Amino acid sequence: MRVSMISLKSPREIDLMRKAGAIAGAARALAGKMVAPGVTTGEIDSAVRKFIEGQGATPSFLNYNGFPGSACISVNEQVIHGIPGGRKLLAGDIVSVDVGACYHGFHGDCAGTYPCGEISAEAQRLIEVTEGSFWAGIAYAKPGNRVYDISHVVQQYVEERGCSVVRDFVGHGVGAKLHEPPEVPNFGPAGHGPRLQAGMTIAVEPMVNAGDFQVTVLKDGWTTVTTDGSLAAHYENSILITDGEPEILTAEGNL
Ligand code: MG
């Protein structure tokens, strides 16, 4: 009987995921450095694609379910899945960049939110709360704990700071597929969900709104915005569950 669809990666697969993750992490950093007034989201997307392909990998998102870019670039009230194009960034914008790289059949997936020039104190704090919730959550990413132990801590961390976590989209297993079991929500009761085991690889990705948690998908079928128009931020890394601390596969500087 199959008790779980969650794949445990072999040492060889983990090595490929380290490489894929390193490429994705470096592509995120490149995109973040490009965020500046006057730059278009399409220019960032092109640079991300060129970089990933130059590393012998392919952009995981390009044509994924028909997505037309190599990076999802989501500005201000856009939470996720923004389509890159001619939009010129303005000083004061916050810009979420989500990138994936596939290397020899394995994916790395990561995201971050970057300030464009000078941003408001509220926006800066939202970015910090979002990233902080990731680190608080993955402190529980250890064998024997359950997936929702991570989820619960992310939610608690965010809500204690007056922000909200998106419910309609969740983190996920990552590996030979960009999205694999298990789902890794950013909310829920501790002590539930699959038990974590060494060799699992998951993408933990808090999507945090400054206002209400509800989101709306625009008519383009992709761009997801906060329903109340408040700012949103996103932070994600692909991680490996080990016998000790989780390994950040998409850390900057791993390449
Ligand atoms: Mg993801």
Side-chain angles (χ1 to χ4, degrees):
M1 189 178 73
R2 194 206 292 264
V3 294
S4 170
M5 299 280 289
I6 301 173
S7 67
L8 298 181
K9 273 68 178 182
S10 70
R12 175 191 155 272
E13 292 171 334
I14 288 168
D15 277 342
L16 292 173
M17 291 204 61
R18 285 191 178 111
K19 178 77 178 182
I23 295 167
R28 171 180 56 184
L30 168 74
K33 285 195 190 85
M34 285 182 73
V35 169
V39 175
T40 69
T41 57
E43 287 165 350
I44 296 173
D45 181 66
S46 298
V48 163
R49 179 175 183 170
K50 195 172 164 197
F51 174 80
I52 290 171
E53 290 177 347
Q55 295 293 323
T58 53
S60 303
F61 298 172
L62 187 59
N63 301 320
Y64 183 83
N65 293 334
F67 188 76
S70 297
C72 298
I73 304 182
S74 310
V75 183
N76 296 336
E77 81 288 355
Q78 298 176 349
V79 187
I80 50 167
H81 300 167
I83 299 173
R87 180 175 182 161
K88 267 196 168 77
L89 298 176
L90 300 172
D93 285 345
I94 59 170
V95 184
S96 297
V97 180
D98 194 348
V99 297
C102 183
Y103 184 78
H104 291 260
F106 286 84
H107 296 272
D109 185 8
C110 61
T113 300
Y114 300 92
C116 182
E118 192 101 342
I119 62 170
S120 69
E122 183 208 11
Q124 183 60 42
R125 184 168 175 278
L126 175 67
I127 290 172
E128 287 166 10
V129 168
T130 305
E131 182 167 346
S133 71
F134 168 85
W135 295 106
I138 68 152
Y140 291 80
K142 291 181 178 166
N145 285 350
R146 292 182 184 272
V147 167
Y148 275 56
D149 293 333
I150 301 171
S151 311
H152 178 71
V153 170
V154 169
Q155 178 176 22
Q156 193 173 45
Y157 185 96
V158 167
E159 292 182 352
E160 275 174 359
R161 286 158 181 80
C163 302
S164 63
V165 287
V166 170
R167 268 69 156 171
D168 290 0
F169 296 88
V170 297
H172 50 91
V174 58
K177 290 187 181 153
L178 180 60
H179 297 114
E180 302 182 350
E183 288 194 341
V184 184
N186 297 303
F187 60 96
H192 290 258
R195 223 175 258 291
L196 297 168
Q197 291 180 58
M200 285 183 184
T201 46
I202 58 175
V204 178
E205 52 174 321
M207 291 155 262
V208 177
N209 298 349
D212 188 78
F213 70 84
Q214 286 183 355
V215 297
T216 304
V217 179
L218 299 185
K219 285 204 187 78
D220 63 23
W222 287 105
T223 313
T224 301
V225 300
T226 56
T227 304
D228 65 7
S230 65
L231 294 174
H234 188 193
Y235 188 75
E236 174 183 29
N237 282 301
S238 299
I239 67 171
L240 168 69
I241 306 300
T242 76
D243 289 322
E245 298 299 313
E247 181 178 329
I248 309 292
L249 296 168
T250 46
E252 190 180 336
N254 277 5
L255 196 61

